[in-house]
């Protein structure tokens, strides 16, 4: 490992960035370096400007990919190299507000019923039933399941934050059944070979295969289960701030997006609009 890369990693550790964020930022700088075939500390501001234009106009990377590239490169030059370049203040990712895909409860059941490996099925069920992120589900530890209180302790989730989420009775039964199949003292969903947790890529592939088999024609992913969880709780009348705490969102505005996705809310609003117009025009 180069001295420069080590210094960047140490700077990110001091900043308290998550390990996966560190990896993404390092890779962003690595891609920049490969583009110009030289060390990133030898790249000048004009080349940096050209690189961002290349990502936007030629490569046409996804907004999320561009944002990661910008954040990683910005951190490297501003925090590690202490350079204050105008380009880094000028560049901004596109801000598109796209509503997430949501599955109905019937669609969730149809998809999960098509997952044929039991451990994958239970992991996906737990992700939906508890509103977990992909890695929070695959890396769930046995010790983090509080069967007495019927809660799951999510340790160091996104933003390095802990939280507790309710554990439904049926999900607890499934977790007990899957644990009996392996008796791993650490991981609830261990990898088939080796000491690690279940591979998240394999789980994503299993979900996509089940989605195709189920006949549900939506552009869904494992993360869609988390969106569906939040939407279904809102439709059931759970307070938005409680949902915010279960999801681990820092801001209520992030959780508020689900108010645009609930069929119950839409029906209530439509009913109220009809009532107002009925009162006005009789």
């Amino acid at each position: 490992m180069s001295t420069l890369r080590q210094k960047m990693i140490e700077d990110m550790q001091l900043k308290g960035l998550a390990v996966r964020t560190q990896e993404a930022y390092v890779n962003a700088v690595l891609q920049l370096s490969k583009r110009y075939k030289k060390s990133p500390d030898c790249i000048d501001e004009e080349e940096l400007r050209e690189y961002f234009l290349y990502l936007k106009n030629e490569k046409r990377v996804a907004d999320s990919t561009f944002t990661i590239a910008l954040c990683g490169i910005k951190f490297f030059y501003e925090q590690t190299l202490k350079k204050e370049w105008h380009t880094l203040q000028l560049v901004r990712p596109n801000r598109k507000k796209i509503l997430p895909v949501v599955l109905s409860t019937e669609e969730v059941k149809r998809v999960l019923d098509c997952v044929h490996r039991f451990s994958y099925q239970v992991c996906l069920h737990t992700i939906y039933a508890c509103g977990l992120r992909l890695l929070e589900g695959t890396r769930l530890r046995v010790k983090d399941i509080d069967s007495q209180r019927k809660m799951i302790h999510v340790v160091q989730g996104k933003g390095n934050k802990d939280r507790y989420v309710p554990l439904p009775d049926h999900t607890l039964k499934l977790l007990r059944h899957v644990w009996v199949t392996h008796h791993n003292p650490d991981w609830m969903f261990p990898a088939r070979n080796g000491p690690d947790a279940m591979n998240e890529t394999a789980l994503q592939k299993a979900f996509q295969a089940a989605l195709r088999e189920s006949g549900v024609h939506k552009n869904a992913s494992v993360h869609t289960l988390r969106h569906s969880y939040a939407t279904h709780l809102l439709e059931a009348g759970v307070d938005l701030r409680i949902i915010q705490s279960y999801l681990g969102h820092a801001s209520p505005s992030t959780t508020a997006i689900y108010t645009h996705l609930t069929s119950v809310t839409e029906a209530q609003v439509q009913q109220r609009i009809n009532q107002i117009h009925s009162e006005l025009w009789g």
Side-chain angles (χ1 to χ4, degrees), residues 92-230:
R92 288 290 182 272
N94 295 327
R95 297 294 184 184
K96 293 181 181 177
K97 292 188 176 181
I98 301 175
L99 293 176
V101 174
V102 169
L103 302 175
S104 68
T105 52
E106 293 79 7
E107 288 171 332
V108 170
K109 186 177 188 307
R110 280 171 57 189
V111 173
L112 296 189
D113 282 348
C114 292
V115 180
H116 300 298
R117 183 174 294 175
F118 184 58
S119 59
Y120 287 170
Q121 186 183 60
V122 176
C123 186
L124 289 167
H125 175 96
T126 306
I127 286 173
Y128 166 69
C130 301
L132 305 180
R133 297 180 177 90
L134 173 61
L135 289 179
E136 293 170 350
T138 57
R139 299 183 183 182
L140 185 63
R141 294 180 182 272
V142 175
K143 66 180 181 181
D144 295 328
I145 297 171
D146 188 337
S147 58
Q148 294 299 316
R149 295 177 57 222
K150 295 182 180 177
M151 302 286 283
I152 285 180
H153 183 199
V154 180
V155 180
Q156 297 294 283
K158 188 175 181 180
N160 296 323
K161 293 182 295 186
D162 287 12
R163 71 183 191 278
Y164 281 95
V165 295
L167 177 60
D169 291 339
H170 179 64
T171 307
L172 177 58
K173 289 179 182 178
L174 287 176
L175 290 173
R176 284 171 172 162
H177 286 320
V178 79
W179 187 79
V180 167
T181 66
H182 59 73
H183 287 95
N184 189 289
D186 191 13
W187 301 111
M188 178 53 65
F189 303 107
R192 298 187 73 183
N193 299 305
D196 297 328
M198 177 185 289
N199 181 274
E200 60 266 23
T201 302
L203 186 66
Q204 288 173 318
K205 289 180 179 178
F207 178 87
Q208 291 302 321
L211 183 68
R212 290 191 296 270
E213 184 180 329
S214 71
V216 175
H217 301 294
K218 288 184 177 180
N219 186 26
S221 65
V222 174
H223 201 69
T224 302
L225 297 175
R226 177 173 156 90
H227 292 314
S228 303
Y229 163 86

Side-chain angles (χ1 to χ4, degrees), residues 4-16:
L4 203 57
R5 181 184 298 188
Q6 181 62 39
K7 186 175 186 303
M8 180 185 178
I9 292 172
E10 290 171 355
D11 289 342
M12 290 189 290
Q13 290 172 345
L14 290 172
K15 189 74 172 177

Side-chain angles (χ1 to χ4, degrees), residues 56 63-64 66-68 70-71 91-98:
K56 274 182 175 284
D63 293 341
S64 57
F66 187 88
T67 299
I68 291 171
L70 174 60
C71 292
V91 179
R92 288 290 182 272
N94 295 327
R95 297 294 184 184
K96 293 181 181 177
K97 292 188 176 181
I98 301 175

